[in-house]
């Protein structure tokens, strides 16, 4: 698939331009403005990006520059600044005389390079993900080896029009457990969207919801394919035999034990000799392996393939301690109906006040009326807990707690500013 570059060519090549070309992106967290990214293509082919955002006093601030070859692959990269937790970032990469070398806080190495290979920095601005996407679109079979290791491929997932701009959704495989989405317009200008963190060109903020909805459909279809391929529903009872069963009540391990599961319930546990499976039961021979109850994760923020990873690691129940109020509910519904792999989820809804350090949520309140309205919304949508956050006015804590308790919800959270832990508990927090 051909790639059309910008006039000064964000692919990194000179295009006869006599002056630099600059683009500014807006960064939004949960729909709230949080920072910017500027990308400037110089006449000599150098691209410079500065990326900065504020998330409750945390957030990256990275200044980076790079040069690309004719295939859009980096031959030089330098980055510095700080990462999300304010740790210093210094990173350098170059290819010289057929040898690639790199150094950052976590790794240092070099290796001979024959052909094109794409270096992935540890702490790059979002624009560099678009650099990878454009290079993959130009590469044979849309595939490139990665440095220090790995391989990435790209495929087109669909198109969406917002306003007068047509965006194409691409998905890059090879960077994580699931394909990573990115949107490009006809000039190759990128947009990256999610329910949590979005980076879009200045003036394109209104496109986020449309892009996110289309992207969510693609993600859900991918998750459903994985769920259908991996999940299995027993035709009757499920009997696990010959297991070494761990009992968390007394920390004992009992060999030669059987467990009978009927639907979603464990209905019997006992010695192998005492368990007589029904005629249509499915039997798993544990062959003396260790068997234990499903694990709980009491603090999560579900996204992407967290649900599948939970199950792969034995977590069958979890509590989500703050998420968006849209796609998260849809994800939990998919967990429940089997169209996405995931555990049982108890939902805790975050409520915060306003201000520079306010949490990443739409549920921001300054009055008792607003607070009661948000508690009711969470209760009406199946939440079991309210998570009070750090910027809530102290006088609102007992109002939130009393109404949440009246609706049957627990109350916990971060101790708000200008309030002691004792006052927080006395105001109605359960923890």
């Amino acid at each position: 698939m051909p790639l059309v570059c910008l006039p000064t060519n964000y692919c990194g090549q000179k295009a006869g331009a006599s002056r630099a070309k600059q683009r500014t992106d807006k960064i939004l967290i949960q729909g709230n403005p949080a920072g910017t990214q500027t990308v400037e293509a110089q006449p000599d082919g150098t691209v410079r990006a500065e990326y900065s955002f504020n998330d409750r006093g945390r957030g990256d601030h990275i200044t980076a520059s790079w040069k690309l070859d004719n295939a859009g692959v980096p031959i030089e990269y330098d980055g510095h600044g700080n990462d999300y937790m304010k740790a210093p970032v210094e990173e350098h990469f170059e290819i010289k005389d057929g040898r690639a070398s790199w150094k950052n806080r976590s790794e240092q190495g070099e290796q001979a390079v024959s052909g094109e290979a794409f270096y992935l920095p540890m702490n790059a601005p979002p624009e560099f993900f678009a650099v990878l996407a454009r290079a993959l679109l130009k590469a044979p079979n849309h595939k490139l080896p990665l440095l220090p290791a790995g391989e990435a491929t790209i495929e087109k997932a669909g198109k969406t029009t917002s306003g007068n701009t047509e965006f194409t959704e691409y998905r890059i495989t090879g960077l994580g457990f699931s394909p990573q989405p990115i949107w490009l317009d006809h000039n190759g200008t990128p947009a990256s969207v999610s329910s949590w963190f979005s980076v879009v060109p200045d003036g394109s903020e209104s496109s986020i919801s449309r892009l996110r909805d289309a992207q969510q459909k693609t993600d859900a279809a991918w998750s459903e394919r994985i769920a259908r391929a991996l999940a299995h529903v027993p035709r009757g009872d499920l009997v696990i035999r010959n297991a070494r069963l761990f009992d968390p009540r007394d920390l004992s391990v009992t060999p030669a034990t059987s467990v009978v599961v009927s639907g979603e319930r464990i209905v019997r546990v006992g010695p192998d000799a005492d368990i007589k499976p029904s005629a249509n039961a499915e039997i798993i021979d544990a062959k003396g392996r260790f068997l234990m109850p499903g694990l709980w994760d009491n603090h999560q923020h579900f996204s992407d393939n967290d649900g599948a990873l939970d199950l792969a690691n034995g977590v069958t129940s979890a509590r989500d301690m703050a998420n968006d109020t849209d796609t998260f509910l849809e994800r939990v519904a998919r967990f429940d109906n089997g169209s996405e792999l995931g555990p049982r989820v108890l939902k805790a809804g975050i409520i915060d006040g306003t201000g520079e350090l306010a949490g990443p949520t739409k549920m921001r309140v300054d009055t008792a009326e607003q607070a009661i309205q948000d508690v009711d919304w969470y209760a009406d949508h199946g939440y079991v807990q309210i998570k009070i956050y750090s910027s809530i006015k102290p006088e609102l804590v007992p109002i939130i707690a009393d109404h949440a308790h009246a609706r049957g919800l627990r109350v916990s959270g971060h101790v708000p500013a200008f309030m002691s832990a004792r006052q927080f508990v006395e105001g109605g927090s359960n923890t």
Side-chain angles (χ1 to χ4, degrees):
M1 180 174 298
L3 171 68
V4 180
C5 293
L6 298 177
T8 51
N9 202 333
Y10 281 98
C11 295
Q13 307 166 10
K14 291 186 289 185
S18 60
R19 60 184 178 87
K21 177 74 173 181
Q22 182 171 303
R23 185 188 84 238
T24 299
D25 296 330
K26 291 296 180 68
I27 299 169
L28 298 97
I29 298 178
Q30 285 273 291
N32 300 306
T36 60
Q37 174 183 247
T38 59
V39 182
E40 186 175 31
Q42 303 287 344
D44 68 352
T46 301
V47 179
R48 182 181 183 276
E50 184 169 5
Y51 162 60
S52 177
F53 71 93
N54 175 37
D55 176 21
R56 298 158 287 172
R58 294 166 283 186
D60 297 66
H61 186 179
I62 304 293
T63 300
S65 62
W66 57 84
K67 284 188 176 182
L68 310 177
D69 64 14
N70 289 336
V73 170
I75 54 176
E76 295 178 13
Y77 178 90
D78 281 285
H80 66 273
N82 62 261
D83 66 12
Y84 180 77
M85 298 304 294
K86 301 303 182 183
V89 169
E90 290 287 342
E91 190 157 14
H92 175 73
F93 165 82
E94 67 175 348
I95 294 180
K96 188 175 182 180
D97 299 327
R99 195 159 193 86
S101 61
W102 57 89
K103 182 178 181 179
N104 55 52
R105 189 177 65 218
S106 301
E107 59 191 16
Q108 178 176 352
E110 62 177 59
Q111 69 182 60
V113 175
S114 59
E116 303 291 354
F118 197 100
Y119 173 70
L120 287 179
M122 291 291 294
N123 296 94
E127 174 66 16
F128 212 72
F129 186 53
V131 174
L132 172 60
R134 293 187 289 254
L136 285 168
L137 289 173
K138 296 179 71 173
N141 300 316
H142 303 321
K143 180 186 299 185
L144 281 171
L146 299 175
L147 294 172
E151 181 180 82
T153 60
I154 193 170
E155 63 179 357
K156 185 169 70 172
K159 292 180 179 290
T160 296
T161 300
S162 180
N164 296 322
T165 304
E166 183 180 67
F167 293 91
T168 301
E169 180 186 0
Y170 295 97
R171 293 167 69 82
I172 297 178
T173 300
L175 305 182
F177 290 109
S178 59
Q180 305 297 301
I182 187 170
W183 296 85
L184 300 176
D185 70 9
H186 72 284
N187 287 320
T189 304
S192 175
V193 300
S194 75
S195 60
W196 162 255
F197 192 93
S198 297
V199 184
V200 296
D202 188 13
S204 300
E205 293 89 336
S206 62
S207 66
I208 290 177
S209 59
R210 181 178 288 273
L211 297 181
R212 191 177 60 222
D213 289 347
Q215 183 174 297
Q216 179 63 27
K217 291 178 181 178
T218 305
D219 289 341
W222 183 86
S223 295
E224 184 169 8
R225 288 197 299 271
I226 298 298
R228 300 304 183 204
L230 297 180
H232 171 68
V233 179
R235 60 182 179 273
D237 290 346
L238 176 67
V239 181
I240 304 172
R241 299 183 64 83
N242 190 22
R244 295 172 57 243
L245 182 66
F246 171 70
D247 189 335
R249 296 171 297 181
D250 59 10
L251 306 184
S252 63
V253 178
T254 305
T257 301
S258 290
V259 176
V260 182
V261 181
S262 182
E264 296 183 351
R265 294 287 183 269
I266 296 173
V267 296
R268 192 173 178 194
V269 177
D272 288 336
D274 294 346
I275 302 297
K276 306 301 180 184
S278 59
N280 65 339
E282 293 191 25
I283 298 175
I284 296 176
D285 185 353
K287 298 181 179 180
R289 293 185 179 90
F290 187 84
L291 179 64
M292 64 185 293
L295 298 172
W296 266 91
D297 189 328
N298 281 319
H299 192 137
Q300 285 194 250
H301 303 281
F302 279 98
S303 66
D304 299 331
N305 44 34
D306 291 337
L309 293 175
D310 271 0
L311 296 183
N313 287 281
V315 176
T316 57
S317 298
R319 180 176 60 171
D320 188 281
M321 290 299 293
N323 219 305
D324 72 275
T325 53
D326 303 308
T327 58
F328 168 62
L329 296 181
E330 295 171 2
R331 185 183 302 279
V332 173
R334 294 196 299 272
F335 288 171
D336 293 341
N337 67 28
S339 61
E340 182 171 342
L341 296 174
R344 299 178 183 89
V345 178
L346 297 182
K347 303 188 290 290
I350 185 173
I351 299 178
D352 202 3
T354 57
E356 182 182 359
L357 301 180
T361 177
K362 299 174 184 176
M363 301 302 207
R364 295 182 175 182
V365 304
D366 284 314
T367 68
E369 292 76 17
Q370 292 171 336
I372 290 171
Q373 180 180 350
D374 285 357
V375 170
D376 282 337
W377 189 94
Y378 282 127
D380 292 343
H381 286 81
Y383 286 70
V384 299
Q385 187 168 333
I386 295 297
K387 178 179 180 177
I388 294 174
Y389 212 63
S390 309
S391 296
I392 282 285
K393 295 176 181 178
E395 62 266 26
L396 293 180
V397 169
I399 295 172
I400 293 172
D402 288 348
H403 193 63
H405 292 151
R407 293 296 309 266
L409 280 65
R410 289 175 52 83
V411 176
S412 67
H414 294 209
V415 178
F418 313 111
M419 193 177 202
S420 70
R422 177 180 291 276
Q423 290 170 327
F424 188 46
V425 173
E426 291 173 346
S429 171
N430 296 111
T431 55

